[in-house]
């Protein structure tokens, strides 16, 4: 088994370059199978979710070839299957994007119900209602969703809440629906815009991505095309918070600072000194961190995927802070692990309350999910002594060269293998 070992209390200093966004990359890979030719997708992060997506695409007969570590050439024109490999879908949420992409382009799909981080109930009813509104038949049996349509027809689709996955999935299917589709109460996350930009580059006609109403005019086919995945705001936020917790001095580079506004605002409120330029943010930690309130929300609100990392930082702040989780039912599973490192944190329903001024002390903990793993590493970075983090497969799904990037900032962090 592999573990990450962190010897804490090293102040992070230097520059870190952010990789392509995981949540964009996985959706763009799925969308690429709807293209009518070769796509060259650049700035793909080298993470397990991307590896699994590519393996699943290859199993469907899609030609995939890495031209370098972060660039993939995809050609789906000789696809042989419209079924996503069940074993590869187990740990991953993004397999659901093949529903929209396959249904749109090939009018049929068989996709296992998605896996991914356990954050409470994660239904896909909005996705299926959207596909049904476009004219598809959706059947759930034997752990698979089977989709089929003779043709798709544009429709007005209202989402009960602005789900990222449903917005992207319905958008992908609607690209090939006859006439106009409107998605109302759509998610506005940067990766929704990224996927729309990619599809538009291939000839789709999508307008309004990034607003609450997305308008899609159906087209009969797409071409190939080249595209660069946008930088990962969650990875960037993770390093910003790590800089703050160690009282460090870190420039987070190759990002879109606008995407970080909610994080920047909260770190400033806590007392960090933050400056930004065209594609970077500089975070200078403060000796005294002030308490604050965090409420997760859909974009441009504070991202739920940075909630565990931010709650960890708030444990160090002076006084009581609160963290309210508004997106997922059950995103505080990491709290019991954080307590093993000394956090004084109490969960009451959707809210976690931190007592503050915590001195973390190293212990052995398990990453209960992807962002929980990042939070535990952040705690380890400022903890006294050695923190050992297990269950790394969660982390490897979403962070590229995590230890290497932290080491380049001066952290004492390494990966070890241990016989159990
Ligand atoms: C995506 C991201 C995930 C992020 C989340 C919120 C990917 C692969 N994952 O997950 O990292 O944390 O957005 O930013 O991009 N809901 C329903 N029915 C549905 C769909 C969603 O009730 O059909 C609910 C969910 O239970 C949840 C909320 O809507 O409470 C948000 O979910 P959604 O935005 O869809 O998240 P995911 O696409 O699963």
């Amino acid at each position: 088994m592999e573990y990450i070992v962190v010897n804490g209390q090293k102040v992070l200093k230097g520059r870190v370059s952010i990789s392509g966004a995981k949540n964009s990359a996985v959706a763009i890979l799925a969308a690429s199978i709807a293209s009518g030719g070769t796509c060259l997708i650049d700035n793909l992060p080298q993470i397990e979710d991307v590896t699994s997506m590519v393996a699943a695409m290859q199993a469907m007969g899609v030609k995939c070839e890495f031209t370098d570590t972060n660039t993939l050439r995809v050609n789906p024109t000789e696809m042989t299957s419209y079924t996503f490999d069940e074993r590869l879908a187990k740990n991953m949420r993004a397999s659901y994007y093949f529903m929209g992409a396959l249904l749109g382009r090939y009018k049929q799909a068989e996709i296992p119900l998605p896996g991914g981080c356990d954050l409470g109930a994660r239904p896909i009813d909005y996705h299926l209602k959207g596909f049904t509104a476009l004219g598809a038949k959706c059947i759930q049996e034997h752990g698979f969703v089977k989709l089929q349509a003779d043709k798709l027809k544009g429709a007005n689709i209202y989402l009960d809440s602005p789900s990222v996955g449903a917005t992207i999935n319905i958008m992908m299917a609607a690209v090939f629906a006859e006439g106009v589709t409107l998605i109302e109460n759509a998610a506005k996350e940067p990766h929704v815009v990224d996927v729309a930009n990619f599809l538009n580059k291939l000839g789709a006609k999508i307008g309004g991505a990034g607003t609450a109403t997305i308008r899609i005019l159906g087209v009969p086919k797409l071409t190939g095309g080249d595209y660069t995945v946008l930088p990962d705001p969650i990875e960037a936020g993770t390093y910003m918070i790590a800089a703050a917790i160690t009282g460090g001095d870190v420039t987070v580079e190759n990002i879109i600072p606008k995407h970080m506004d909610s994080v920047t605002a909260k770190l400033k409120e806590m007392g960090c000194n933050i400056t930004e330029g065209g594609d970077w943010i500089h975070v200078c930690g403060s000796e005294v961190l002030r308490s604050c309130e965090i409420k997760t929300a859909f974009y441009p609100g504070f991202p739920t995927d940075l909630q565990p990392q931010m709650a960890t930082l708030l444990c160090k702040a002076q006084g009581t802070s609160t963290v309210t989780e508004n997106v997922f039912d059950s995103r505080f599973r990491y709290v019991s692990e954080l307590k093993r490192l000394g956090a004084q944190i109490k969960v009451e329903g959707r809210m976690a309350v931190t007592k503050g001024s915590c001195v973390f002390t190293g212990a052995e903990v398990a990453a209960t999910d992807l962002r929980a793993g990042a939070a535990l590493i952040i705690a380890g970075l400022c903890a006294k002594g050695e923190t050992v983090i297990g269950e790394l497969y969660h982390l490897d799904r979403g962070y590229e060269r995590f230890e290497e990037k932290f080491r380049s900032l001066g952290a004492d962090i390494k990966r070890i293998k241990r016989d159990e």
Side-chain angles (χ1 to χ4, degrees):
M1 285 266 264
E2 289 194 329
Y3 294 83
I4 285 179
V5 179
V6 188
N7 267 298
Q9 299 201 311
K10 306 278 185 293
V11 174
L12 298 188
K13 283 202 167 96
R15 300 169 173 276
V16 61
S17 179
I18 296 307
S19 304
K22 163 187 165 287
N23 287 348
S24 280
V26 290
I28 286 171
L29 282 175
S32 73
I33 65 162
S35 73
T38 300
C39 299
L40 199 64
I41 306 169
D42 192 18
N43 205 29
L44 274 178
Q46 203 185 23
I47 52 174
E48 278 302 315
D49 270 10
V50 166
T51 308
S52 303
M53 291 289 273
V54 172
M57 288 159 68
Q58 284 172 326
M60 289 186 226
V62 179
K63 283 195 190 128
C64 298
E65 184 202 350
F66 277 98
T67 58
D68 65 46
T69 324
N70 301 103
T71 311
L72 184 75
R73 185 181 290 129
V74 180
N75 186 326
T77 50
E78 287 167 25
M79 272 184 78
T80 48
S81 158
Y82 308 118
T83 304
F84 193 99
D85 188 314
E86 199 175 359
R87 285 160 309 159
L88 291 167
K90 274 216 173 78
N91 291 326
M92 203 196 344
R93 187 104 200 118
S95 50
Y96 60 17
Y97 286 133
F98 283 87
M99 294 183 199
L102 286 170
L103 176 68
R105 171 75 171 79
Y106 303 98
K107 308 291 177 283
Q108 55 179 307
E110 271 193 43
I111 311 295
L113 284 163
C117 293
D118 184 0
L119 312 174
R122 297 180 78 176
I124 54 163
D125 52 326
Y126 306 165
H127 305 232
L128 301 186
K129 274 191 220 165
F131 298 144
T132 307
L134 295 175
K137 254 195 226 139
C138 308
I139 302 170
Q140 272 188 59
E141 56 185 19
H142 308 301
F144 274 78
V145 178
K146 295 182 181 173
L147 302 165
Q148 199 268 322
D150 294 330
K151 64 172 187 175
L152 297 175
K153 210 163 175 311
N156 286 5
I157 296 165
Y158 169 79
L159 301 180
D160 290 328
S161 66
S163 152
V164 174
T167 301
I168 292 177
N169 231 341
I170 295 167
M171 186 168 83
M172 291 199 290
V175 159
F176 296 97
E178 256 177 47
V180 174
T181 298
L182 287 181
I183 307 176
E184 303 276 13
N185 199 25
K188 301 173 193 158
E189 267 69 2
H191 48 291
V192 174
V193 182
D194 212 22
V195 180
N197 287 344
F198 171 63
L199 288 166
N200 283 344
K201 187 103 195 268
L202 307 184
K205 294 193 181 327
I206 302 171
T211 76
T213 304
I214 299 182
R215 184 178 189 277
I216 304 133
L217 176 62
V219 294
K221 58 180 179 9
L222 298 177
T223 62
D226 300 351
Y227 196 74
T228 301
V229 174
L230 113 185
D232 197 325
I234 305 302
E235 189 197 9
T238 301
Y239 286 103
M240 288 169 72
I241 294 168
I245 208 165
T246 62
D249 187 336
V250 171
T251 305
V252 181
E253 295 178 328
N254 181 32
I255 58 168
I256 299 174
K258 178 86 196 132
H259 293 167
M260 307 310 304
D261 280 354
S262 62
V263 184
T264 301
K266 284 293 161 184
L267 290 179
K268 278 185 176 167
E269 195 181 323
M270 293 179 74
C272 296
N273 191 348
I274 300 196
T275 45
E276 60 184 56
D279 67 350
W280 55 267
I281 292 183
H282 178 238
V283 180
C284 205
S286 161
E287 260 182 38
V288 179
L289 289 169
R290 290 188 289 269
S291 60
C292 74
E293 264 183 36
I294 300 287
K295 293 180 178 171
T296 66
F298 294 102
Y299 188 83
F302 191 89
T304 174
D305 285 354
L306 286 173
Q307 182 259 95
Q309 300 91 312
M310 197 65 180
T312 305
L313 178 63
L314 289 173
C315 289
K316 293 279 295 177
Q318 284 187 334
T320 304
S321 299
T322 58
V323 177
T324 309
E325 174 55 53
N326 291 315
V327 179
F328 290 111
D329 296 344
S330 179
R331 200 163 196 171
F332 289 120
R333 294 210 170 113
Y334 65 90
V335 163
S336 53
E337 295 302 296
L338 207 55
K339 279 182 170 171
R340 294 163 71 83
L341 301 177
Q344 303 224 38
I345 178 168
K346 203 165 72 186
V347 178
E348 294 163 1
R350 283 190 170 268
M351 189 190 279
V353 183
T354 62
K355 197 163 165 218
S357 303
C358 162
V359 179
F360 287 112
T361 52
E364 184 153 341
V365 288
T368 48
D369 64 60
L370 168 57
R371 308 304 172 184
L376 294 168
I377 287 182
I378 286 172
L381 289 171
C382 70
K384 278 189 183 161
E386 190 176 273
T387 302
V388 179
I389 299 127
E391 314 264 330
L392 298 183
Y393 57 92
H394 289 298
L395 263 183
D396 294 337
R397 283 186 37 228
Y399 285 97
E400 184 176 58
R401 293 183 286 112
F402 211 27
E403 305 99 272
E404 188 186 317
K405 289 189 187 186
F406 272 125
R407 260 198 306 275
S408 76
L409 294 173
D412 182 345
I413 180 171
K414 62 181 177 216
R415 188 175 286 238
I416 58 159
K417 278 202 174 112
R418 216 163 63 180
D419 293 332
E420 296 306 311

